Structures are given as C-alpha cells and as structure tokens.
Amino acid sequence: MTEYLIKNGFVFDPVLGIRGDVADVAIKDGKIVETNAVKSPKVIDATGRTVMAGGVDVHAHVAGPKVNIGRNFRPEDKLFNTRPGRGVERMQGGFSVPTTIRTGYNYARMGYTTVMEAAMPPLYARHTHEEMRDTPIIDQGAFPVFGNNWFVLEYLKNNEIENAAAYIAWLLRATKGYAVKVVNPGGTEAWGWGLNCENVHDPVPYFDITPAQIVKGLIEANEYLGLPHSMHIHANNLGNPGNYTTTLDTFKISEGIKPKGRFGRDQVMHHTHVQFHSYGGDSWGNMESKADSIMDYVNSHDNITIDMGQVTLDETTTMTADGPFEHHLTELNHLKWANSDVELETAAGVVPYVYSPNIKVCAIQWCIGLELALLAKDPMRVFMTTDHPNAGPFIRYPRIMKWLMCQEAREQQLDAFKHKDKVIDATHIAGIDRELDLYEIAQMTRAGSAKALGISDMYGGLAPGLMADVAVFDFNPNEPYVPDDVEAAFLNAEHLFKTGVHVINNHEIVSNGNKRTLWVNARVNENPQVMRDVKEKFLRYYTVTLNNYEVSGHHYVPNPYVIEVDATE
Ligand SMILES: [Zn+2]
C-alpha cells in the first residue's frame, strides 16, 4: 500500500491531546505510524488546513427496512436530488433518506469514516446488512433492538440476567449485531394493543414488567457480557412536553451499576437524541427547555454518555421503532404514516416532518439540542447527532458545527425565528456565549464517540497504531472567518483517508474504499435453556425458521471486523 505523509496541518486530536498545533501525520499499511516509519511517502501538503481523525457517528438511521420504507414512500425526497454516476462515483439520490450510495459518499465528504445504524430489527438483519454492504467507504455496525423483545421481557421479569445475557450473545451472533439498543422499553410492545408506556413504572400489558425493570436488566446483562458499547437507550415518553422527568428517571437507573471496564469504556448507559427528551411544560403551548436540568445531571454523573438529536430546521422523514410515537406524530401533522410490526421483536413507524422556523415548538427544539452541547462540561460524553433523519439529515453536521462554534450564527438563526421573543423566554440559549473550539468538536464527533462505542483502540484518533482514517479540511482556524466558512469547509473534505486508502483527493471521491462491517461475537457458557427457548419460539410463533433468520455467510458481511468478547470467565 502507498505510504502517505500529511504535512504541516493544524492537527486537532483529543487522543494525543493536540489542540491545533502544526504536526505531521504518517500512514503506512492502513495504520497511523510514527512519522519516521515511512520511507518514501506520497506527501499531502496540509499547510493552513485542519487535520482530524475520521468522524465516528454513534447514532443514525441509514440502513434497513424502516429506512427503505422512508425511501419508498417519499419519492419527493429525491425529486431534485439525483445525480448520475461520474468517475468512480455511482448514481446517487435522496436528501433526508438518501440511497445507500449517497449515504456513504456524503459521510465521506464530511470526513466521517464510521457510522452506527442505531436500530436493526433482528428479523430483518439480513436486509440491514445488505444495505450496509452496499454503502461505500464507511465502516458500519448495527444495533439490534432488545427493549420490546419477548425473550428479554420474559427473562427480565424473573430477573434472569444470565439467561438474558446468553440470549443477547446469541442474537448478536445471529444478526451480526454490534450493541444492545432499547427503544421505548415496553411501550413499543404495548403499541401492539394500541397502548404505550409513558413513564418508567408504567406496566407493560401482558408481560408483568415495567420499563425500569427492562432498562436495569439490560444494563446488567450488557455488563455481565462486558460488551464494547454500553446499553444504548431511547427512553419512554419521547417528544412530549414535560418528559424531562422521565428522562431523569431513566438516567437514574444507571446509578450504582459498574462498567465491566473493557474496551476502554467507562459508562453503562448511552442515552440517545436527548433533545427529544428534554421538554418542560405540560402542553405544546407552554413547552420549554429543560436542557439545563438534564445537563446538570449529565455533568455530575459520569456513568452516562448522551448524543444531541439536533433539529436542523429542514423537511425530513422521521422513522423510529417507537411505534406509538409515530402514530402520535401523524395525528399532530396529518402527513402520511407507515406502521410496521415485527413479530416478537419490535415495531416501527415512518412520518414526514417539516421543522419550520415559523413554528415556536420547532424553534424551541432547535435551541434545546444546541444547549445540551453548549452546557456540556465533558465533551467526551456528549456527541453530535441529528438522530438522522429524525431531527434532520446528517448532511447538516457541518451546519451544527457552525452553530456550536459561532455565537453570531446562533443569533442570526434566533433573529430569523417568527416567535423569537417567546422562544428566548422558553429556552436558555440567549444567555449562553460559549463557542466550542475544534478540539471540543473533535471530542464530540470522533474521540468521545469512539470511546463510548468501545473502539478507541482502532478509531477516533491519530495516535500511531490506530486505523488510518484521516480527514483534511480547507479551514485555517488561526485566520478570521465568517460562520458560513465553517459549514462550507467541513461539508467538503479536501482529503480523506479510510484505513489508509486515499478516498477523497482534492475534494473528489476517487475510491469506493474498503468498507467493513463491525459486529460483536460474545462467547458465553453453554445455556441449554435459552437455546431450547429459541427453538420453541421459532416453532410456535415466528413466520420464518431459524435457518432463514440467521445472518450467515460471506454474502451478507463480505468484509467483517469481528470484536471478540469472552464472557465465559
Ligand atoms: Zn434514533
């Protein structure tokens, strides 16, 4: 493989603690190496430019059946957004639900190299893997959903943590999954009867268990196994005024549970898209930001990590395994609605949504997401996301950087809100003058998210030995700039290396890369009861056989990166 030396850039790397100093980055055999380890490298002149590790997205919806429902039922999303193939680039389309091809290219253009699909229905794991396989350049993993799974509900109501752990290990292997995802615990199952679980103590119909028990049991099973990532949750009561108390109640379940301490991860809970879970008030009329209460908790409890779920003020396509929420949303906006039930496992809904700056609630949501990041004391535990495409498409990450880095840009947006004064009254943003620097941005988009995912020994930094995922942006942090320069530069990387392959050269995509799929192989002691339960449920309830369920063979995961976990000791 070609050796490279990226010379004289302003380097921002939390792993090495480099805060914009001029430094060189060397690449050999797909890895970052010491600069004296390359003999006759191809030199990339990064003078006056910003150099960072490849971005790591902890939570996006980019592959699988609900994403495809979104693509199918929103042809208008690609009306003005298709582009024919050119050079190595294949034809691409779509904005809020881009094609697999555009997904890979757009992430690469923003300097991202690793993206986690945040909700994989186990029954449709094959479909999810086929889409990830067809997504160029970026490494991906997928989180199977567990929070409404009948096996899990039955084991946990009897507090059978070891059985739940054995089932999780089996399902991760069967689906080639990466982490334990929980969406509206118990509430999505309740949706099968037209019901929901609105707080952590609301019982799940027919299962004699509460969301709190599900969350606690899944954290304990996650730590019993010692998986790379912590239990990853979208809590109950998403998107409702007053829901911040449910969020705090959910956070508190993590207290007192110790991480197993493997893979460099220090937390036991990741709470996703917290913007949607930080609302005060008791109606849409008096809904207000509780980002301050939420961040008081996060800042003082190092057991958890969170991501933003930033609203980007776009027309987008919401999609979630939170079935009852999507029904609630279509009742609010009267746009089209798709709903799906996944046998013993989960459900999903899809509804288009327009986040308008003229609507007070949308403007308050925009403020809340930014407040979460701007009030963060430890940017290594608060990550940038839009819960793509729910709060907005991921292609807006550079715009979010602009808002986080420039108070002037936030003020411009506030001035553009139709109900500016009411929005300021209901939020804290007007009183926040913090401007994040590129080091903090690198923590929120690379080093922190890689650490939370348990992959900081491979991704998220520029230390020798890590994967050579490196981005060069045409942005000089030491010269005066206007806010829009930030968005323009970070939307359009000048160079990108993915595992040592030069995939973007002078802003042009020149290679489809060497994409890999990450999954976790957790070995547990043999558990005949769980395997008996699996066989019985497939015979009695599933519409497919076990053989047609498991993701097996080279076809689905042609380039796997398997993370081995030994839970037998
Ligand atoms: Zn999500």
Side-chain angles (χ1 to χ4, degrees):
M1 282 176 79
T2 314
E3 298 176 342
Y4 294 93
L5 187 63
I6 303 164
K7 276 184 83 83
N8 290 327
F10 298 111
V11 174
F12 292 88
D13 183 38
V15 173
L16 291 170
I18 304 180
R19 297 169 179 266
D21 299 336
V22 172
D24 299 342
V25 178
I27 294 173
K28 183 182 180 180
D29 296 332
K31 296 266 175 84
I32 313 258
V33 294
E34 301 286 354
T35 47
N36 60 11
V38 287
K39 296 287 171 273
S40 52
K42 190 171 168 194
V43 173
I44 306 288
D45 181 12
T47 307
R49 289 155 169 81
T50 292
V51 178
M52 286 186 186
V56 178
D57 194 345
V58 74
H59 188 112
H61 301 277
V62 286
K66 74 185 177 313
V67 180
N68 221 29
I69 289 172
R71 293 191 188 107
N72 283 335
F73 101 149
R74 292 212 64 206
E76 66 273 24
D77 191 63
K78 35 188 130 23
L79 261 185
F80 307 105
N81 280 301
T82 50
R83 194 168 107 179
R86 189 181 66 187
V88 304
E89 281 188 52
R90 293 172 56 192
M91 183 173 174
Q92 44 198 298
F95 172 66
S96 69
V97 265
T99 60
T100 55
I101 306 292
R102 173 163 281 174
T103 298
Y105 291 155
N106 277 355
Y107 267 111
R109 288 183 202 285
M110 300 189 307
Y112 275 69
T113 47
T114 310
V115 178
M116 291 292 166
E117 160 53 51
M120 172 166 71
L123 181 60
Y124 299 118
R126 289 181 174 198
H127 176 170
T128 309
H129 279 283
E130 284 176 326
E131 288 199 9
M132 293 200 295
R133 182 196 63 196
D134 286 351
T135 305
I137 301 176
I138 54 175
D139 286 354
Q140 288 179 285
F143 306 161
V145 286
F146 285 95
N148 295 278
N149 178 300
W150 290 11
F151 293 88
V152 168
L153 300 183
E154 285 172 4
Y155 293 138
L156 292 183
K157 84 175 167 199
N158 301 320
N159 205 29
E160 296 170 13
I161 301 300
E162 214 173 313
N163 287 340
Y167 173 74
I168 290 167
W170 174 78
L171 195 80
L172 288 176
R173 194 160 46 246
T175 63
K176 303 292 180 279
Y178 188 82
V180 174
K181 174 72 186 298
V182 183
V183 177
N184 188 359
T188 296
E189 173 57 28
W191 176 235
W193 287 276
L195 303 169
N196 197 358
C197 294
E198 280 163 11
N199 64 66
V200 299
H201 302 300
D202 212 353
V204 185
Y206 301 96
F207 278 94
D208 192 24
I209 190 170
T210 64
Q213 287 173 285
I214 297 170
V215 174
K216 183 161 187 283
L218 284 173
I219 297 177
E220 288 173 348
N222 201 81
E223 297 313 321
Y224 176 95
L225 293 170
L227 297 179
H229 189 30
S230 43
M231 193 271 319
H232 187 122
I233 186 165
H234 145 169
N236 306 92
N237 210 8
L238 176 144
N240 291 319
N243 67 3
Y244 81 106
T245 55
T246 308
T247 311
L248 292 173
D249 289 343
T250 304
F251 286 168
K252 285 176 189 156
I253 299 170
S254 73
E255 289 177 11
I257 309 178
K258 291 268 167 289
K260 197 152 181 175
R262 290 176 175 171
F263 300 99
R265 163 173 68 82
D266 303 324
Q267 285 76 32
V268 297
M269 176 186 284
H270 177 82
H271 196 309
T272 188
H273 42 67
V274 173
Q275 178 274 128
F276 286 122
H277 303 266
S278 302
Y279 303 160
D282 56 18
S283 73
W284 292 116
N286 65 12
M287 176 253 203
E288 59 178 354
S289 169
K290 287 290 180 183
D292 53 343
S293 308
I294 293 290
M295 289 314 294
D296 279 349
Y297 186 95
V298 172
N299 286 334
S300 58
H301 292 80
D302 59 10
N303 228 17
I304 60 178
T305 54
I306 64 166
D307 65 81
M308 292 163 69
Q310 175 63 33
V311 162
T312 62
L313 304 168
D314 284 294
E315 175 180 326
T316 192
T317 311
T318 70
M319 51 183 64
T320 173
D322 195 334
F325 172 75
E326 290 290 15
H327 179 253
H328 173 67
L329 199 61
T330 192
E331 296 273 286
L332 277 175
N333 74 4
H334 306 292
L335 297 178
K336 56 190 170 183
W337 170 52
N339 178 66
S340 163
D341 181 67
V342 186
E343 303 195 8
L344 287 61
E345 299 179 343
T346 182
V350 185
V351 175
Y353 201 81
V354 181
Y355 291 95
S356 165
N358 297 330
I359 296 172
K360 189 182 79 170
V361 167
C362 299
I364 293 172
Q365 290 177 307
W366 176 85
C367 297
I368 292 173
L370 295 176
E371 288 169 10
L372 296 170
L374 293 168
L375 293 172
K377 290 218 168 93
D378 181 3
M380 286 294 283
R381 294 195 289 118
V382 178
F383 314 130
M384 184 193 295
T385 65
T386 59
D387 186 23
H388 165 89
N390 286 302
F394 67 77
I395 195 69
R396 298 301 192 210
Y397 287 175
R399 188 168 294 179
I400 299 171
M401 286 176 64
K402 172 181 81 174
W403 289 326
L404 292 175
M405 291 170 67
C406 313
Q407 192 187 7
E408 181 191 341
R410 298 198 291 271
E411 276 166 6
Q412 281 169 6
Q413 185 57 62
L414 276 172
D415 284 340
F417 287 142
K418 186 171 176 186
H419 305 283
K420 179 186 174 184
D421 294 342
K422 286 180 186 163
V423 170
I424 287 175
D425 283 348
T427 61
H428 314 283
I429 195 136
I432 302 177
D433 60 4
R434 186 178 182 189
E435 296 186 321
L436 299 186
D437 60 28
L438 284 172
Y439 188 83
E440 291 165 318
I441 294 289
Q443 290 178 302
M444 289 183 169
T445 56
R446 289 146 163 86
S449 42
K451 189 168 194 287
L453 288 165
I455 51 176
S456 55
D457 60 337
M458 301 185 280
Y459 299 92
L462 296 172
L466 298 185
M467 298 296 167
D469 295 355
V470 190
V472 179
F473 301 99
D474 190 1
F475 184 81
N476 186 329
N478 296 337
E479 284 189 352
Y481 58 85
V482 297
D484 285 349
D485 293 348
V486 174
E487 182 172 358
F490 289 90
L491 198 53
N492 189 10
E494 187 169 348
H495 294 279
L496 181 69
F497 294 86
K498 165 65 181 56
T499 328
V501 176
H502 199 179
V503 292
I504 293 180
N505 184 14
N506 288 324
H507 308 284
E508 290 285 321
I509 290 174
V510 294
S511 164
N512 286 307
N514 49 7
K515 103 71 63 27
R516 294 172 305 181
T517 300
L518 291 88
W519 68 274
V520 171
N521 185 30
R523 270 172 296 140
V524 292
N525 293 317
E526 219 167 295
N527 189 319
Q529 187 198 325
V530 168
M531 289 323 297
R532 232 182 1 255
D533 293 345
V534 167
K535 291 206 175 76
E536 193 227 319
K537 281 219 169 36
F538 270 85
L539 276 174
R540 284 172 72 111
Y541 299 120
Y542 269 103
T543 57
V544 301
T545 68
L546 206 43
N547 286 338
N548 291 321
Y549 183 86
E550 293 183 47
V551 175
S552 53
H554 192 68
H555 167 76
Y556 292 103
V557 189
N559 197 7
Y561 196 109
V562 188
I563 296 171
E564 301 286 346
V565 176
D566 187 352
T568 60
E569 57 218 35

